[in-house]
PDB file of all heavy atoms in Angstrom:
ATOM      1  N   MET K   1     111.255  85.674  22.890  1.00 62.00           N
ATOM      2  CA  MET K   1     111.640  86.013  24.215  1.00 62.00           C
ATOM      3  C   MET K   1     111.474  84.706  25.029  1.00 62.00           C
ATOM      4  O   MET K   1     110.454  84.035  24.954  1.00 62.00           O
ATOM      5  CB  MET K   1     110.723  87.058  24.833  1.00 62.00           C
ATOM      6  CG  MET K   1     111.166  87.455  26.296  1.00 62.00           C
ATOM      7  SD  MET K   1     110.108  88.868  26.873  1.00 62.00           S
ATOM      8  CE  MET K   1     108.604  87.877  27.305  1.00 62.00           C
ATOM      9  N   PRO K   2     112.371  84.300  25.900  1.00 74.00           N
ATOM     10  CA  PRO K   2     112.243  83.125  26.744  1.00 74.00           C
ATOM     11  C   PRO K   2     110.981  83.310  27.647  1.00 74.00           C
ATOM     12  O   PRO K   2     110.732  84.403  28.053  1.00 74.00           O
ATOM     13  CB  PRO K   2     113.529  83.148  27.584  1.00 74.00           C
ATOM     14  CG  PRO K   2     114.522  83.955  26.796  1.00 74.00           C
ATOM     15  CD  PRO K   2     113.669  84.934  26.155  1.00 74.00           C
ATOM     16  N   ASP K   3     110.337  82.128  27.945  1.00 81.00           N
ATOM     17  CA  ASP K   3     109.119  82.314  28.791  1.00 81.00           C
ATOM     18  C   ASP K   3     109.450  82.087  30.298  1.00 81.00           C
ATOM     19  O   ASP K   3     108.650  82.447  31.081  1.00 81.00           O
ATOM     20  CB  ASP K   3     108.080  81.378  28.300  1.00 81.00           C
ATOM     21  CG  ASP K   3     108.401  79.849  28.433  1.00 81.00           C
ATOM     22  OD1 ASP K   3     109.362  79.540  29.270  1.00 81.00           O
ATOM     23  OD2 ASP K   3     107.703  79.044  27.873  1.00 81.00           O
ATOM     24  N   TYR K   4     110.655  81.565  30.647  1.00 94.00           N
ATOM     25  CA  TYR K   4     111.120  81.376  32.009  1.00 94.00           C
ATOM     26  C   TYR K   4     110.152  80.546  32.862  1.00 94.00           C
ATOM     27  O   TYR K   4     110.376  80.468  34.087  1.00 94.00           O
ATOM     28  CB  TYR K   4     111.224  82.818  32.591  1.00 94.00           C
ATOM     29  CG  TYR K   4     112.158  83.671  31.918  1.00 94.00           C
ATOM     30  CD1 TYR K   4     111.610  84.844  31.256  1.00 94.00           C
ATOM     31  CD2 TYR K   4     113.539  83.504  31.938  1.00 94.00           C
ATOM     32  CE1 TYR K   4     112.519  85.578  30.525  1.00 94.00           C
ATOM     33  CE2 TYR K   4     114.387  84.315  31.289  1.00 94.00           C
ATOM     34  CZ  TYR K   4     113.960  85.388  30.567  1.00 94.00           C
ATOM     35  OH  TYR K   4     114.696  86.195  29.921  1.00 94.00           O
ATOM     36  N   LEU K   5     109.216  79.870  32.333  1.00 95.00           N
ATOM     37  CA  LEU K   5     108.301  79.063  33.153  1.00 95.00           C
ATOM     38  C   LEU K   5     108.967  77.861  33.778  1.00 95.00           C
ATOM     39  O   LEU K   5     108.605  77.518  34.841  1.00 95.00           O
ATOM     40  CB  LEU K   5     107.079  78.693  32.337  1.00 95.00           C
ATOM     41  CG  LEU K   5     106.171  79.878  31.847  1.00 95.00           C
ATOM     42  CD1 LEU K   5     104.972  79.358  31.036  1.00 95.00           C
ATOM     43  CD2 LEU K   5     105.799  80.669  33.056  1.00 95.00           C
ATOM     44  N   ASP K   6     109.951  77.219  33.037  1.00 96.00           N
ATOM     45  CA  ASP K   6     110.581  76.165  33.649  1.00 96.00           C
ATOM     46  C   ASP K   6     111.462  76.579  34.884  1.00 96.00           C
ATOM     47  O   ASP K   6     111.545  75.858  35.841  1.00 96.00           O
ATOM     48  CB  ASP K   6     111.586  75.509  32.647  1.00 96.00           C
ATOM     49  CG  ASP K   6     110.803  74.607  31.610  1.00 96.00           C
ATOM     50  OD1 ASP K   6     109.718  74.197  31.913  1.00 96.00           O
ATOM     51  OD2 ASP K   6     111.410  74.277  30.568  1.00 96.00           O
ATOM     52  N   ASP K   7     112.069  77.844  34.721  1.00 97.00           N
ATOM     53  CA  ASP K   7     112.813  78.429  35.853  1.00 97.00           C
ATOM     54  C   ASP K   7     111.861  78.663  37.026  1.00 97.00           C
ATOM     55  O   ASP K   7     112.172  78.612  38.217  1.00 97.00           O
ATOM     56  CB  ASP K   7     113.528  79.691  35.399  1.00 97.00           C
ATOM     57  CG  ASP K   7     114.627  79.337  34.357  1.00 97.00           C
ATOM     58  OD1 ASP K   7     115.415  78.417  34.605  1.00 97.00           O
ATOM     59  OD2 ASP K   7     114.577  79.970  33.242  1.00 97.00           O
ATOM     60  N   LEU K   8     110.699  79.195  36.717  1.00 97.00           N
ATOM     61  CA  LEU K   8     109.654  79.513  37.763  1.00 97.00           C
ATOM     62  C   LEU K   8     109.270  78.217  38.472  1.00 97.00           C
ATOM     63  O   LEU K   8     109.186  78.204  39.751  1.00 97.00           O
ATOM     64  CB  LEU K   8     108.431  80.170  37.062  1.00 97.00           C
ATOM     65  CG  LEU K   8     107.335  80.504  38.133  1.00 97.00           C
ATOM     66  CD1 LEU K   8     107.824  81.505  39.215  1.00 97.00           C
ATOM     67  CD2 LEU K   8     106.133  81.164  37.380  1.00 97.00           C
ATOM     68  N   ARG K   9     109.014  77.135  37.745  1.00 96.00           N
ATOM     69  CA  ARG K   9     108.674  75.932  38.387  1.00 96.00           C
ATOM     70  C   ARG K   9     109.841  75.420  39.316  1.00 96.00           C
ATOM     71  O   ARG K   9     109.667  74.958  40.443  1.00 96.00           O
ATOM     72  CB  ARG K   9     108.458  74.815  37.345  1.00 96.00           C
ATOM     73  CG  ARG K   9     107.039  74.957  36.733  1.00 96.00           C
ATOM     74  CD  ARG K   9     106.665  73.764  35.860  1.00 96.00           C
ATOM     75  NE  ARG K   9     107.317  73.938  34.548  1.00 96.00           N
ATOM     76  CZ  ARG K   9     106.767  74.506  33.447  1.00 96.00           C
ATOM     77  NH1 ARG K   9     105.558  75.081  33.530  1.00 96.00           N
ATOM     78  NH2 ARG K   9     107.370  74.605  32.342  1.00 96.00           N
ATOM     79  N   LEU K  10     111.106  75.581  38.837  1.00 97.00           N
ATOM     80  CA  LEU K  10     112.241  75.251  39.690  1.00 97.00           C
ATOM     81  C   LEU K  10     112.263  76.122  40.940  1.00 97.00           C
ATOM     82  O   LEU K  10     112.540  75.618  42.001  1.00 97.00           O
ATOM     83  CB  LEU K  10     113.507  75.338  38.861  1.00 97.00           C
ATOM     84  CG  LEU K  10     114.808  75.108  39.726  1.00 97.00           C
ATOM     85  CD1 LEU K  10     114.838  73.742  40.286  1.00 97.00           C
ATOM     86  CD2 LEU K  10     116.062  75.334  38.773  1.00 97.00           C
ATOM     87  N   ALA K  11     111.973  77.407  40.806  1.00 98.00           N
ATOM     88  CA  ALA K  11     112.043  78.272  41.946  1.00 98.00           C
ATOM     89  C   ALA K  11     111.014  77.863  43.010  1.00 98.00           C
ATOM     90  O   ALA K  11     111.259  77.966  44.181  1.00 98.00           O
ATOM     91  CB  ALA K  11     111.769  79.720  41.493  1.00 98.00           C
ATOM     92  N   HIS K  12     109.831  77.363  42.526  1.00 97.00           N
ATOM     93  CA  HIS K  12     108.864  76.863  43.511  1.00 97.00           C
ATOM     94  C   HIS K  12     109.358  75.592  44.242  1.00 97.00           C
ATOM     95  O   HIS K  12     109.161  75.420  45.389  1.00 97.00           O
ATOM     96  CB  HIS K  12     107.541  76.574  42.732  1.00 97.00           C
ATOM     97  CG  HIS K  12     106.702  77.714  42.606  1.00 97.00           C
ATOM     98  ND1 HIS K  12     105.753  78.106  43.543  1.00 97.00           N
ATOM     99  CD2 HIS K  12     106.580  78.610  41.584  1.00 97.00           C
ATOM    100  CE1 HIS K  12     105.099  79.191  43.171  1.00 97.00           C
ATOM    101  NE2 HIS K  12     105.567  79.450  41.986  1.00 97.00           N
ATOM    102  N   ILE K  13     110.089  74.709  43.462  1.00 97.00           N
ATOM    103  CA  ILE K  13     110.662  73.493  44.035  1.00 97.00           C
ATOM    104  C   ILE K  13     111.674  73.916  45.150  1.00 97.00           C
ATOM    105  O   ILE K  13     111.714  73.391  46.277  1.00 97.00           O
ATOM    106  CB  ILE K  13     111.279  72.595  43.072  1.00 97.00           C
ATOM    107  CG1 ILE K  13     110.117  72.092  42.215  1.00 97.00           C
ATOM    108  CG2 ILE K  13     112.079  71.481  43.649  1.00 97.00           C
ATOM    109  CD1 ILE K  13     110.700  71.317  40.874  1.00 97.00           C
ATOM    110  N   LEU K  14     112.464  74.947  44.827  1.00 97.00           N
ATOM    111  CA  LEU K  14     113.523  75.437  45.747  1.00 97.00           C
ATOM    112  C   LEU K  14     112.793  75.961  46.989  1.00 97.00           C
ATOM    113  O   LEU K  14     113.222  75.817  48.119  1.00 97.00           O
ATOM    114  CB  LEU K  14     114.328  76.436  45.062  1.00 97.00           C
ATOM    115  CG  LEU K  14     115.182  76.043  43.874  1.00 97.00           C
ATOM    116  CD1 LEU K  14     115.860  77.210  43.231  1.00 97.00           C
ATOM    117  CD2 LEU K  14     116.213  74.922  44.225  1.00 97.00           C
TER     118      LEU K  14
END
Side-chain angles (χ1 to χ4, degrees):
M1 184 181 75
D3 66 16
Y4 302 109
L5 294 182
D6 283 344
D7 295 309
L8 179 61
R9 282 187 282 270
L10 174 59
H12 275 272
I13 292 170
L14 300 174

